[in-house]
Amino acid sequence: MKDFFKYVLASFTALFVFSIIGFLLTLMVIGGIAAMGEKEVQVKPNSVLNLKIQGQIVERKIDNPIEDLIYSEQDQIRMMGLNEIRSSIYKAKFDPNIKGIYLNPGLFSCGISTVDEIKDYIEDFKTTGKFVIAYSGNYSQLGYYLAASADKVYMNPQGMLELRGLSANYTFFKKAMDKLGIEANIFKVGKYKSAIEPFINDQMSQYSKEQSEVLVNSLWGTLKDRLAKDRNITDKVLDDFAQEGMMLSNQEMTVSSGLIDDLKYTDQIIAELNDSCGRKETAEPNFISLQKYTKANVKTDKEYSRNKIAFIYAAGGIDDGSNDGIKSGELAASIRKARTDSTVKAIVLRVNSPGGSAYGSEQIWRELELAKEGKPLIVSMGDVAASGGYYISCNAHTILARPSTITGSIGIFGMIPNFKGLTDKIGVTFDGVKTNEYADLMSVVRPMTQSEKNMLQAWVERGYNTFLTRCANGRNKTIEEINEIGQGRVWSGEDAKNIDLIDKFGGVNDAINLAAEMAGLESYRLVELPEQKDFFQQLIEDLSTQVKTSMLEMRMGENYEIYKTLIHYKGLSGLQARMPYELNIQ
């Protein structure tokens, strides 16, 4: 009888748990379907596009069935897509109901090149004569860089303008590994290929420090140049403000130095926006959020055309095991689809990747090589197109990048850990048999022999020679010339153009226009690839990743990046053509 009651209780508990899960899933599905079935958004006359930039800005915002159910428009953890920002600002340019843009930069994460893209879209919008007003209580460095494209830049009287220069900081694990008894066997080509330094050094090497200093100074120079042009001030004003730590000074200094137009409270901004719209009301203007405006149907200057330009996204690490990275097989299939479609007249590959698997990069390169034989192939580089990201870019007909793009890093590395020191410490031993000398070549519980090390180093060098060959053929250079600027060294777009790693400066719109010109197209429509997954497939994936990631980020805070780095390296396999470090610019 006792066992019977245990069985009944267990069954009831299981039924209750599954009922709750089923109920939640049903709510999510119904909510998702309801969201999908939303009516087209109607824009009121005299409206203002409320461009609140916050959260993580990614190249392409995938339709997320559960994100809108979890996050509000004010949540800073949500993602924004550069694609939706671009299309919304473009629509607003032609929308007679949109009188201007209220640019409200919050805390957001992306690179300088992504901000440059948004600034270009805003500059294009301003050609209509419509207004752009920027306002924030506190400006981050990138937030101010973005806001500077507005007609007027305002700040709260008690706010802060964070303009302090750029820095690059790296985390090293060598001392922790020594304490644990873990050895890293490193195989690499390129004296600047420092992706493995955190596991063998406790500080930056001479070459790593050299390239990092050149890079951050180049990026800072690019940022200052555009800011100075936006605000009609000199570089010296910006440098002095950063050098003297004036971000902590009296707010009036931001106005007297020309960085800010005026200090205002929110009610004063509302009054100015209403006045700019020709409204006499004291209530808030007719704001429409980016999230809602993406659902508005606005007639633009684009007409339907059978001719297509394939816009293919290559964003994230290459075969690094992450859900939001590049899966080489899927990307290769998308390129294949574009090159075999007779209605696709040109291809634009948008690359924002630090690289990854050398094998995966080669498979993508092969499809691009076939594609360029019959159609114009343009590469548009985003924040990063380095190592494997450059591997898949190098054979395009034309490569466009921003001066602030991080590229190059032509090099290869591999790493095999040895945990014997750790297992000895905890009293775990191993023994076994094998049929051939190298049957346990990749064992991680014993030291490697010199013969094994020699074999693996030769393997890495063959991979590097292949990389050099791909770059040399793609850029019409000799292998020796590419090796001279390779060696794993990272370059800014500004410097990359001087050494012919890229062809022109430009953004997404420039790349699309060039592709149309090379294909001889007067009219065309963009087709984005890879195709988005259907609602239910995306729902299942989101349930397994989105909530878990968000919870980890909230619980771990700034330590989440360290955790993500360790998990990332755990998922790597094979030779890696990867940028030598993670560079975070705030």
Side-chain angles (χ1 to χ4, degrees):
M1 182 63 71
K2 188 177 181 181
D3 290 337
F4 172 77
F5 281 116
K6 283 184 177 179
Y7 173 78
V8 171
L9 182 60
S11 300
F12 178 81
T13 303
L15 180 62
F16 177 78
V17 171
F18 280 114
S19 297
I20 293 296
I21 293 174
F23 176 71
L24 291 174
L25 282 172
T26 302
L27 282 179
M28 289 181 178
V29 171
I30 292 173
I33 292 173
M36 290 174 66
E38 283 182 3
K39 293 181 181 179
E40 176 187 313
V41 170
Q42 299 297 319
V43 185
K44 296 178 182 178
N46 296 317
S47 288
V48 176
L49 177 59
N50 189 356
L51 197 57
K52 186 172 182 62
I53 305 296
Q54 62 185 13
Q56 182 182 3
I57 302 180
V58 296
E59 283 292 328
R60 185 187 194 187
K61 174 69 159 39
I62 303 297
D63 291 336
N64 191 317
I66 67 172
E67 187 181 51
D68 291 342
L69 301 176
I70 297 176
Y71 304 123
S72 70
E73 290 180 24
Q74 279 67 46
D75 283 323
Q76 295 184 356
I77 200 170
R78 69 181 300 132
M79 287 186 178
M80 301 184 74
L82 186 61
N83 61 329
E84 65 181 359
I85 295 172
R86 174 177 175 270
S87 64
S88 292
I89 295 177
Y90 186 74
K91 280 194 302 185
K93 175 182 176 183
F94 297 93
D95 191 340
N97 291 320
I98 296 291
K99 298 303 179 184
I101 290 176
Y102 175 48
L103 182 56
N104 184 210
L107 292 175
F108 62 91
S109 172
C110 66
I112 297 174
S113 294
T114 293
V115 180
D116 277 328
E117 285 286 340
I118 303 174
K119 286 169 72 71
D120 279 359
Y121 307 152
I122 291 172
E123 291 292 342
D124 181 58
F125 174 85
K126 285 163 59 177
T127 60
T128 62
K130 297 181 180 184
F131 69 83
V132 180
I133 292 176
Y135 178 72
S136 182
N138 295 286
Y139 284 107
S140 69
Q141 194 154 243
L142 280 181
Y144 175 68
Y145 184 55
L146 173 59
S149 7
D151 299 308
K152 295 290 183 180
V153 182
Y154 298 122
M155 187 174 74
N156 189 280
Q158 297 304 313
M160 176 187 288
L161 172 56
E162 185 180 337
L163 188 65
R164 50 186 167 77
L166 303 182
S167 65
N169 299 293
Y170 316 109
T171 303
F172 295 85
F173 307 103
K174 176 65 166 63
K175 288 183 178 179
M177 291 172 65
D178 287 345
K179 289 179 180 179
L180 293 171
I182 302 173
E183 175 194 17
N185 293 296
I186 302 301
F187 309 93
K188 68 163 187 168
V189 180
K191 59 188 179 183
Y192 293 98
K193 200 67 177 177
S194 50
I196 41 71
E197 284 191 4
F199 305 99
I200 58 174
N201 295 343
D202 56 13
Q203 60 183 0
M204 298 171 71
S205 69
Q206 168 196 340
Y207 296 114
S208 178
K209 184 159 286 190
E210 174 191 336
Q211 70 172 346
S212 296
E213 288 178 345
V214 171
L215 181 63
V216 295
N217 279 295
S218 178
L219 295 177
W220 177 236
T222 297
L223 188 146
K224 285 190 300 179
D225 287 347
R226 188 156 189 182
L227 268 179
K229 182 180 178 183
D230 286 339
R231 297 299 303 165
N232 193 27
I233 55 179
T234 65
D235 283 9
K236 187 176 186 305
V237 171
L238 297 163
D239 254 330
D240 288 348
F241 192 93
Q243 187 66 24
E244 296 172 19
M246 293 172 65
M247 60 182 278
L248 301 175
S249 299
N250 190 302
Q251 289 85 350
E252 294 291 345
M253 295 289 293
T254 62
V255 179
S256 61
S257 62
L259 299 176
I260 297 290
D261 288 298
D262 204 354
L263 302 173
K264 294 190 176 188
Y265 289 101
T266 303
D267 61 291
Q268 295 172 299
I269 296 298
I270 288 174
E272 182 163 341
L273 288 169
N274 278 325
D275 183 63
S276 299
C277 291
R279 288 163 46 95
K280 296 184 179 179
E281 293 88 341
T282 56
E284 279 196 356
N286 292 327
F287 283 131
I288 183 166
S289 68
L290 179 73
Q291 183 184 2
K292 286 193 175 120
Y293 195 63
T294 55
K295 300 179 178 70
N297 187 16
V298 178
K299 184 175 177 59
T300 66
D301 62 343
K302 296 293 184 186
E303 298 180 2
Y304 179 84
S305 173
R306 188 172 182 274
N307 297 322
K308 304 172 189 171
I309 292 178
F311 191 87
I312 304 177
Y313 291 92
I318 301 173
D319 293 336
D320 62 358
S322 65
N323 289 311
D324 55 355
I326 297 171
K327 296 173 179 63
S328 59
E330 291 182 8
L331 181 55
S334 294
I335 298 166
R336 192 178 310 121
K337 180 176 181 178
R339 73 174 173 84
T340 57
D341 185 341
S342 60
T343 64
V344 172
K345 305 302 181 183
I347 296 172
V348 175
L349 183 70
R350 174 65 174 178
V351 181
N352 199 342
S353 172
S357 165
Y359 174 84
S361 301
E362 174 74 4
Q363 309 319 303
I364 298 167
W365 172 88
R366 172 62 180 172
E367 281 298 330
L368 290 168
E369 182 70 12
L370 295 173
K372 70 178 288 192
E373 292 175 2
K375 300 176 182 183
L377 172 62
I378 310 298
V379 161
S380 169
M381 291 180 170
D383 293 325
V384 180
S387 207
Y390 190 78
Y391 196 128
I392 66 176
S393 303
C394 66
N395 64 339
H397 289 114
T398 305
I399 299 175
L400 278 72
R402 296 279 183 183
S404 53
T405 295
I406 299 171
T407 190
S409 190
I410 301 169
I412 297 277
F413 76 89
M415 180 174 68
I416 298 176
N418 171 22
F419 293 100
K420 189 175 188 308
L422 175 60
T423 57
D424 285 349
K425 285 184 178 184
I426 62 177
V428 178
T429 58
F430 300 87
D431 200 0
V433 296
K434 58 184 179 180
T435 59
N436 298 89
E437 179 65 24
Y438 299 109
D440 62 342
L441 175 63
M442 298 296 182
S443 174
V444 296
V445 294
R446 64 167 177 81
M448 298 187 73
T449 66
Q450 189 58 50
S451 176
E452 289 171 329
K453 291 180 179 180
N454 292 341
M455 290 172 60
L456 285 165
Q457 182 61 36
W459 183 42
V460 168
E461 290 175 4
R462 284 196 299 274
Y464 181 60
N465 287 333
T466 300
F467 196 168
L468 290 177
T469 301
R470 301 293 180 242
C471 294
N473 292 339
R475 300 304 298 164
N476 195 26
K477 299 273 188 185
T478 65
I479 288 178
E480 291 73 24
E481 287 174 320
I482 295 296
N483 185 49
E484 182 68 25
I485 57 179
Q487 297 288 323
R489 180 156 187 174
V490 173
W491 304 90
S492 69
E494 184 79 44
D495 293 331
K497 188 172 184 296
N498 294 332
I499 57 176
D500 204 28
L501 283 178
I502 67 168
D503 296 297
K504 298 179 179 180
F505 292 140
V508 169
N509 289 338
D510 300 301
I512 294 170
N513 292 337
L514 179 59
E517 179 185 332
M518 291 178 66
L521 300 177
E522 293 186 4
S523 64
Y524 59 87
R525 59 191 172 100
L526 282 183
V527 178
E528 294 189 345
L529 296 172
E531 294 179 346
Q532 291 198 16
K533 296 167 184 173
D534 63 44
F535 170 74
F536 290 102
Q537 186 179 4
Q538 190 65 45
L539 175 64
I540 297 301
E541 290 189 10
D542 287 339
L543 285 171
S544 64
T545 59
Q546 185 77 33
V547 176
K548 182 171 69 174
T549 300
S550 298
M551 291 298 292
L552 279 170
E553 286 178 336
M554 285 188 287
R555 287 185 177 184
M556 301 184 73
E558 61 184 16
N559 295 321
Y560 177 73
E561 290 301 319
I562 297 175
Y563 166 81
K564 193 168 69 172
T565 299
L566 293 173
I567 293 299
H568 156 72
Y569 276 102
K570 179 178 177 288
L572 301 183
S573 62
L575 293 182
Q576 296 294 308
R578 178 169 294 276
M579 191 172 137
Y581 42 70
E582 302 285 344
L583 181 64
N584 295 312
I585 298 172
Q586 302 298 329

